[in-house]
Amino acid sequence: MKNVLLLSGNENSSHLFLGEAKRTAETRQVPLNFKASVMADLTPELLAEQDLVLLAPQTASDADAAAMNTQVPTVDIPNDIYGWLNGQALVKFACQELGLSVVGAR
């Protein structure tokens, strides 16, 4: 199981997105454990638990400024995935970034 952190500036939208991504991963038996956080709640301990950090578009510059001083791969979520809150596409994107098979994920 790989841990994926969705980091955004708006807790409401990230939790909607997170729910869809979790449902998709569970339904399609993709080994991803999604968690969401906002920049203000980000801690070194939380980062250390992650295999991948996905940054919402509005958070990318803040995260760079926060100097994601970690060995965890950190990637911006494409606007078309985040803008539509497409959980299925997010699961596929996370799998690609982690080098996991995306069988069953569309």
Side-chain angles (χ1 to χ4, degrees):
M1 184 72 69
K2 298 286 186 176
N3 293 320
V4 179
L5 179 66
L6 172 59
L7 192 58
S8 77
N10 182 333
E11 195 168 339
N12 293 331
S13 63
S14 64
H15 283 292
L16 290 171
F17 200 20
L18 180 69
E20 179 63 27
K22 282 183 172 183
R23 280 188 295 281
T24 298
E26 184 178 309
T27 300
R28 299 194 180 183
Q29 298 179 342
V30 178
L32 297 176
N33 179 38
F34 285 94
K35 184 179 275 191
S37 181
V38 293
M39 285 296 298
D41 296 337
L42 189 61
T43 65
E45 295 80 17
L46 180 59
L47 279 174
E49 298 171 352
Q50 307 310 312
D51 296 296
L52 178 65
V53 176
L54 298 176
L55 303 173
Q58 75 275 16
T59 308
S61 61
D62 291 339
D64 291 340
M68 303 292 270
N69 293 328
T70 179
Q71 298 298 328
V72 179
T74 303
V75 183
D76 296 345
I77 300 170
N79 285 330
D80 60 332
I81 294 174
Y82 193 83
W84 288 100
L85 298 178
N86 188 336
Q88 292 180 15
L90 184 68
V91 169
K92 183 177 179 182
F93 180 72
C95 286
Q96 290 169 339
E97 291 299 320
L98 290 165
L100 299 174
S101 171
V102 291
V103 174
R106 296 188 245 178

